[in-house]
Every structure is written in C-alpha cells, then in structure tokens.
Amino acid sequence: MEEQSRTYILEASDLSVSFETDAGEVQAVRDVSLSLKEGEVLAIVGESGCGKSVLCKSLMKMLPGNARIKSGKILANGIDITGYKERDMAKLRGTLFSMVFQDPMTALNPTMTIGRQIEEAIKIHNPHIKRDALEKRVIELMGLVGIDQADERRNLYPYHFSGGMRQRSVLAIALAGNPSILIADEPTTALDVTIQAQILDLFRDIQKKMHTSTIFVTHDLGVVARVADRVAVMYAGKIVELGTTEDIFYDARHPYTWGLMQALPAYAKGKEMLHAIPGMPPVLIDPPRGDAFACRNEYALAIDYEKEPPMFRISDTHHAATWLLDERAPEIKPPSPVCSSFLAEGDQREGCEETAERKKTSMVEECQNDAENRETLVAVNHLTKSFSIGKRNVHKAVDDVSFRIYKGEVFGLVGESGSGKSTVANCVMNLCKPDSGEILYKEIDTCRSKEFRKNKKMLQCERQIIFQDSTSSLNPRMKVKDILSEPFRIQHITPKRGTLSAEAAFQLKYVGLDNSYLEKYPSELSGGQRQRVAIARAVAMEPELLVADEPIASLDVSIQAQIVSLFRHLQKEHGFSFLFIAHDLSMVRFLCDRVGVMYDGKLVEVGNVEDIFRHPKHPYTKALIESIPIPDPHRERQRAREKEHE
C-alpha cells in the first residue's frame, strides 16, 4: 500500500466535510476517496451542489469558518496534511498546489495592474528576489499563458482585458510558485467557445511543459473529453463513478452518468426535447436513505431506497456505485445514445440519426420555401450603436446590422464576447437607444420616441427579456409570488386566473416548480430554479417576442437541458418568437430555426441553422464551429493531433 501511494501526488481517503448552518449540518462531502497521479488531468463532473468545489477547497484546506473536515485523510506526496495548521498550509499553497477560480474578475484586484498582481504572487514564495529578476519572471509567466506584448500589458488593469485575457492572467498568478498540482474550478464556464478552446489548449500545453497534475472541475462533458485522462462523477457529495475518460464516455455504468450524457444536445439530434434528469439533487442537511439518486433514477431498484450501494469494480480503472452492477440485479442496457452516438467515425451515422437528419433537412427546405409567405415580427435595419470610452475614444459596438425575425421562429445570435450581441438585444428591447437605423416591431418604429410612447403599454406587454444573470435580475427583497405578480400590477392587468396569487401559482407550475416556492426568496433558490422564475415572469404576460440573452450560460448541463426543453415547449404552446443569444453553439443548433453570426459589431453570416453549421461560408463562422467541444475523447484527440500538424 505504501509503495502504491508513492505513485500518487495527492490522495483523499474517506474524506467527509460538513458545514454548520442555522438549519443544521450540511454534509457537503461524504466519504470521498480520490487519487491524483503525477502529470495527469483528473476531471470532476456533476451538477451544482454535488460537492465538487467543496472537495477541491477541502484538499487545499481553504474552507470557511463554519466548515470542518469530519473524517478521512488528505495525503500530499505521501504526507498526511489533514491536521496541518493554517501557517503550514500557507507554505504549500502556491508551491504544492494552486487554484484557478471560475470568475477571473472577482479573483483579480481591480485596483492593481496585472503585472503588480503577478509580482505579488511571485514575492510571496520568493521574498528576496531582485527587481530585474522579478520583472523578467512576470513577463515570462505572461508569455507562458499566451498574453502577447507582455511588457506593455503588465501595466494594464483587469478591466482593460477581455474575459479570456483575464483568465490567462489568473492562470499566470496561479503558476507563479511553480505548483505541482493545479486545481481549476469551472475555468471556462462563462467563456465563448473560441476563447474556451484557447484556454483548454493552454491548460494542456502548460501541463506538458511544467508536468503539473491538474484537477479540472466542470459540468461541460465536451470539455472533459478534450482535456481529461480520468473522470470522477460526483452526486450528493459522493463519487458515484470513477474511470478513464474512455471508460466514462464509452462504457458508463451509473444511471446518473447516463443522465448527464443524454442531456447533451449532441445526443438529441432530431428529437423534440433534450433529455433532462427529473427533479433536483437532494438537500444534504438530511441525506436520503439508501442511494441518494434513487428518487431521480428511472432504473432504481427496491434496494436503492433502503441501502447505499458500494463502489463496484468493473475493471482495474473503472468503478461505479450502483446496485445495477450487483450480480443479483436485472440486466439493464444503457440508453443507446450513450453507447453508440459517437463510437462510429464521421458525423453521419446509420439508423435513427440518419432519419432525424432527413427530418431536419426537410424542415429546413420547408422554411426556405415558406420564407416569402412568413410574417415578419421584428425587422432590424442598418442598426448602429456606439459607446464613449473616456473623453476621446468611441467604441462602435454594433455596426450596420440588419436581420429579420419571423413570427413563430427561434432566431439565434452567436459570437464572442464584445461582438455586439447583447447591445442588439438591448436596442430591440429599447433598453438603449441606437445611433442610427430602425427597429420595426409589427411595423412600429420603436426607436422613435413618439411611436414608442403611443404604443408603450402594448410594447411592454408583448416584448419580454430574460437576462443571463437571474440573481441580479430578480429583486432579492421580494418573494417569488410577488416577483411573478409584479408585471400585472405595473400594467394594471387583471390576471386570467382571477387573482394574482392564483396566477403566480399557475405560472410557477408551468415552468416546473410547485407552490412551495411561492413563499421563498431568490437567495433560497438554485441557479436553475431562479432562471425558471425569471422565465415564468417573462412569459406571464404571454409575449409575442421573447429575448433571451445568454439564459443558460452558467447552468449545469442537466439544468440547461430542462431550460432549453422548457423554451421549446413554451414556443410550441404559445407560438411566440425568440431572439436567443448564446455562446453554446450546440444548444443554438438544437433550439433555433435560423442563426446570425456576429463578429466585431457586424453581422457576418445569416442563414438556416443547418446550413450555417454544415456549410459555413465566413472564416469566423468556420472557426466558431471548429471550436465546439465534442463529447467524444477519440475525436477530440484526433482534432488536437491535426491542430499540432497544421
């Protein structure tokens, strides 16, 4: 056993972590055993609240005051650090292990230049370093993480950098002490697909150059396929499946892993709805008896509700905690998409997917044939919008953009951060005034103040917007029932259900939440639940145009599937039109009828969604599509090899 532990740079053995709260003890991590080999990338996946981030912070002993390690051991290079005091741990942080957080803007000090912040990280571990050597090391680290013109840019502040550049800066700070272990907690969640691809390639390059071991926390299985050697699937504070990337993607055995896989748009070609795991993860103040996933598991056995399953050995590298692997259990085959969707080479496969593609193609052709007869709901003509940056600089956010949204269609708008997508949405919703051009809603020029005032009530009722950040878009001082009733009070409209409380209950049920949520505040809800409340508020007025600005950007894959399926259901039920803005191109392909691609304020390509994805014309569109992570390790590695040979 001692000999075996030497092959691991980090081990957690039967680790349990709890938080003391007013409501009781939250068992965030429960009996987790995990190991990390030298030079490998271990991905930890699972929904929000499953314990991924708490586990990582526990390994570095960065827990808040109300948390404690109840039991278990943490071994670093074979040495037990579980009982280390803060003074001892401070010496290990930055040298043995370092962490890259999800939001680089909150990880960086806005009052300090990037160079100063990297200097600070270097001097912590090397306080006697000379000035010349310090400046040289800063420029070296910035170059290592791909920040060009480091000598000039080190004097810039975080707000001067894009999201991708800020994440590179955080990575440079994390690497300042030459750590052996790098822990990355959702480092690409809010990044555009092209920037995400750059950051993922950067992680791989650094791992090869510095021989670091990496723990990569994410809910994006496409990212996992691209970077990971091994995968740990977490649910309700426990590891429920552990194996190599190939084990998890090609031979998954736990029903929760199946559910995560099926929630991906890549597995839903030709289907009306994405597969969503029913329900929500349990509250860990009082974990359920038996298997915590049983109440959401369509394959649950009677024993799942009584006894917790052990970790069954499938192979030397593959283990899963499910009673389906017991020799007495009935034989259940995994859902076919998990087994076969990506095992065949090439994009086109036989069988049901071929039928689905034919169906999609026929729908596209039908849309093309009927385009002339379709009623235009929104017409954006030569829209231009600029913003002043300081006294002399002007940034043209939107430059001569024109497009149509037909009645009853879902129009997608994609592009990287800063391309002008949200500015277009804000102009369409009269949240900001364009410099020139016109926006016609039902042939009403909403940019003209006189026309807007004349039709103000109709425009405010028939057009609704859903913002990316549901936390800031919901009033934290209002209960859910009051949030849902507010639009009726503002517009002095009598609800169809008679009373405001009955209307609020109906709208909440319509988005999949029961009446118990009416009395809750937004802070008591999960991210997916808050987004559902925001959607319920938007659709309560039965709008004809719904603008959704990055509504699923930071949600788990299973919650994304629920929200996108909800959008499709609502669109089918009400027939309203969508302007759907997103950087997840696979979701855009699944949901949208047509798509527009924005780059540097301009609309560079517009067309039917399948035409754009199959036969992109513009070089930027091609780059976007080539950057989409594919949830197939073999194909991702093949792409990486092809890129190296270019």
Side-chain angles (χ1 to χ4, degrees), residues 311-545:
M311 188 68 86
F312 288 92
R313 179 182 177 278
I314 301 160
S315 69
D316 290 341
T317 60
H318 193 186
H319 300 78
T322 170
W323 284 113
L324 294 178
L325 294 173
D326 190 279
E327 58 184 13
R328 297 164 294 179
E331 186 178 349
I332 295 176
K333 292 183 178 180
S336 57
V338 178
C339 297
S340 61
S341 286
F342 287 97
L343 288 177
E345 292 187 5
D347 288 326
Q348 300 304 315
R349 288 171 289 277
E350 300 295 328
C352 63
E353 279 205 21
E354 186 179 337
T355 304
E357 289 299 323
R358 283 201 300 269
K359 182 180 178 182
K360 187 78 174 180
T361 303
S362 65
M363 289 171 64
V364 170
E365 290 173 350
E366 185 179 338
C367 289
Q368 290 173 334
N369 293 335
D370 293 344
E372 294 181 1
N373 301 321
R374 299 179 73 180
E375 182 181 345
T376 298
L377 183 68
V378 179
V380 177
N381 299 320
H382 307 292
L383 181 67
T384 300
K385 175 63 181 176
S386 299
F387 294 98
S388 297
I389 304 174
K391 293 182 178 180
R392 298 181 180 180
N393 296 327
V394 175
H395 171 62
K396 189 172 280 188
V398 179
D399 186 4
D400 196 25
V401 167
S402 300
F403 62 90
R404 300 281 184 275
I405 301 176
Y406 297 114
K407 198 167 184 179
E409 83 163 348
V410 183
F411 183 83
L413 206 56
V414 301
E416 61 191 25
S417 293
S419 61
K421 308 185 301 296
S422 294
T423 303
V424 169
N426 290 336
C427 289
V428 168
M429 292 298 297
N430 290 102
L431 297 178
C432 66
K433 188 175 181 180
D435 300 334
S436 61
E438 62 178 8
I439 301 171
L440 303 178
Y441 175 80
K442 291 186 173 179
E443 299 185 355
I444 299 168
D445 190 346
T446 60
C447 296
R448 293 186 178 181
S449 300
K450 185 178 179 181
E451 289 291 304
F452 180 81
R453 286 195 299 269
K454 183 180 177 182
N455 300 279
K456 183 177 179 180
K457 184 172 182 178
M458 182 271 285
L459 291 171
Q460 288 182 338
C461 291
E462 290 192 7
R463 305 178 308 160
Q464 296 290 326
I465 186 168
I466 303 166
F467 296 98
Q468 175 177 349
D469 185 3
S470 56
T471 305
S472 59
S473 68
L474 301 177
N475 190 329
R477 294 186 176 88
M478 293 175 67
K479 291 183 178 180
V480 169
K481 65 178 182 181
D482 299 318
I483 290 171
L484 298 181
S485 303
E486 189 178 32
F488 295 93
R489 291 195 186 98
I490 292 172
Q491 299 297 340
H492 305 289
I493 294 174
T494 303
K496 286 185 176 181
R497 259 53 64 173
T499 65
L500 291 174
S501 58
E503 186 69 35
F506 174 83
Q507 297 298 340
L508 202 61
K509 184 179 180 182
Y510 200 62
V511 295
L513 297 176
D514 59 51
N515 289 356
S516 65
Y517 291 92
L518 288 170
E519 297 296 327
K520 292 186 177 183
Y521 290 94
S523 60
E524 299 176 87
L525 308 180
S526 68
Q529 290 165 347
R530 282 195 296 270
Q531 198 62 285
R532 285 171 181 265
V533 172
I535 293 168
R537 179 179 61 182
V539 302
M541 305 303 292
E542 297 187 0
E544 292 199 35
L545 175 66

Side-chain angles (χ1 to χ4, degrees), residues 12 15-19 28-29 51-63 67-69 74 81-82 89 93 97 99 183:
L15 188 66
S16 293
V17 180
S18 290
F19 290 81
V29 176
K52 307 185 300 295
S53 295
V54 175
L55 173 60
C56 291
K57 290 177 181 177
S58 302
L59 296 174
M60 294 183 66
K61 299 193 73 177
M62 292 175 61
L63 296 169
R68 62 189 175 95
I69 296 176
I74 303 169
I81 63 171
T82 316
M89 288 304 301
R93 296 188 194 119
F97 35 45
M99 197 164 191
I183 300 175

Side-chain angles (χ1 to χ4, degrees), residues 74-346:
I74 303 169
L75 302 177
N77 287 319
I79 300 171
D80 188 355
I81 63 171
T82 316
Y84 272 29
K85 302 295 183 184
E86 178 59 26
R87 182 177 58 186
D88 300 317
M89 288 304 301
K91 296 175 183 177
L92 296 181
R93 296 188 194 119
T95 53
L96 175 64
F97 35 45
S98 194
M99 197 164 191
V100 178
F101 295 96
Q102 177 175 348
D103 185 1
M105 202 57 186
T106 56
L108 294 170
N109 187 332
T111 66
M112 291 175 64
T113 64
I114 294 296
R116 284 286 305 279
Q117 295 185 60
I118 299 173
E119 283 180 12
E120 190 178 66
I122 297 168
K123 289 168 72 175
I124 287 173
H125 305 291
N126 189 0
H128 304 297
I129 187 170
K130 293 183 178 179
R131 187 68 204 173
D132 290 346
L134 180 61
E135 291 181 359
K136 184 179 178 182
R137 179 62 175 155
V138 169
I139 293 171
E140 180 186 333
L141 284 168
M142 291 180 74
L144 179 66
V145 298
I147 299 177
D148 298 327
Q149 300 174 319
D151 197 26
E152 294 83 15
R153 285 180 169 169
R154 66 194 173 104
N155 297 316
L156 298 178
Y157 289 86
Y159 60 83
H160 289 125
F161 281 21
S162 66
M165 292 288 276
R166 284 196 291 265
Q167 196 62 283
R168 289 172 188 267
S169 303
V170 171
L171 185 54
I173 294 169
L175 295 172
N178 293 318
S180 302
I181 302 166
L182 191 61
I183 300 175
D185 188 5
E186 301 271 15
T188 63
T189 296
L191 299 179
D192 306 310
V193 65
T194 48
I195 307 302
Q196 175 182 263
Q198 293 172 18
I199 297 297
L200 293 177
D201 291 342
L202 179 59
F203 270 101
R204 267 298 189 187
D205 289 343
I206 288 171
Q207 186 228 353
K208 290 176 182 177
K209 290 176 183 176
M210 301 182 66
H211 305 289
T212 55
S213 303
T214 306
I215 296 177
F216 205 98
V217 178
T218 183
H219 61 249
D220 190 330
L221 291 167
V223 168
V224 172
R226 189 168 194 145
V227 301
D229 300 309
R230 285 194 304 141
V231 183
V233 182
M234 280 195 81
Y235 184 77
K238 298 182 77 70
I239 300 289
V240 297
E241 189 160 8
L242 179 66
T244 65
T245 312
E246 287 79 4
D247 289 335
I248 300 301
F249 278 85
Y250 302 139
D251 190 27
R253 296 299 183 92
H254 199 285
Y256 180 60
T257 313
W258 298 345
L260 291 177
M261 294 283 190
Q262 286 181 288
L264 295 169
Y267 293 108
K269 286 188 176 180
K271 296 179 181 177
E272 281 294 313
M273 297 290 178
L274 289 172
H275 179 276
I277 303 173
M280 300 293 292
V283 177
L284 294 177
I285 290 177
D286 184 21
R289 184 180 178 183
D291 185 354
F293 187 60
C295 61
R296 304 175 71 191
N297 181 10
E298 60 181 299
Y299 307 102
L301 307 173
I303 193 173
D304 282 308
Y305 296 93
E306 300 294 329
K307 191 175 179 181
E308 192 174 286
M311 188 68 86
F312 288 92
R313 179 182 177 278
I314 301 160
S315 69
D316 290 341
T317 60
H318 193 186
H319 300 78
T322 170
W323 284 113
L324 294 178
L325 294 173
D326 190 279
E327 58 184 13
R328 297 164 294 179
E331 186 178 349
I332 295 176
K333 292 183 178 180
S336 57
V338 178
C339 297
S340 61
S341 286
F342 287 97
L343 288 177
E345 292 187 5

Side-chain angles (χ1 to χ4, degrees), residues 263-264 274-276 556-566 587:
L264 295 169
L274 289 172
H275 179 276
D556 303 318
V557 63
S558 54
I559 306 300
Q560 282 186 1
Q562 293 175 12
I563 298 299
V564 169
S565 294
L566 177 61
M587 284 294 185

Side-chain angles (χ1 to χ4, degrees), residues 193-194 196-197 226 584-586 589 613 623-631 636 639:
V193 65
T194 48
Q196 175 182 263
R226 189 168 194 145
D584 188 336
L585 298 185
S586 54
R589 186 173 190 178
F613 278 84
L624 274 181
I625 293 169
E626 288 170 1
S627 300
I628 301 173
I630 302 171
E636 276 294 345
R639 286 170 73 176

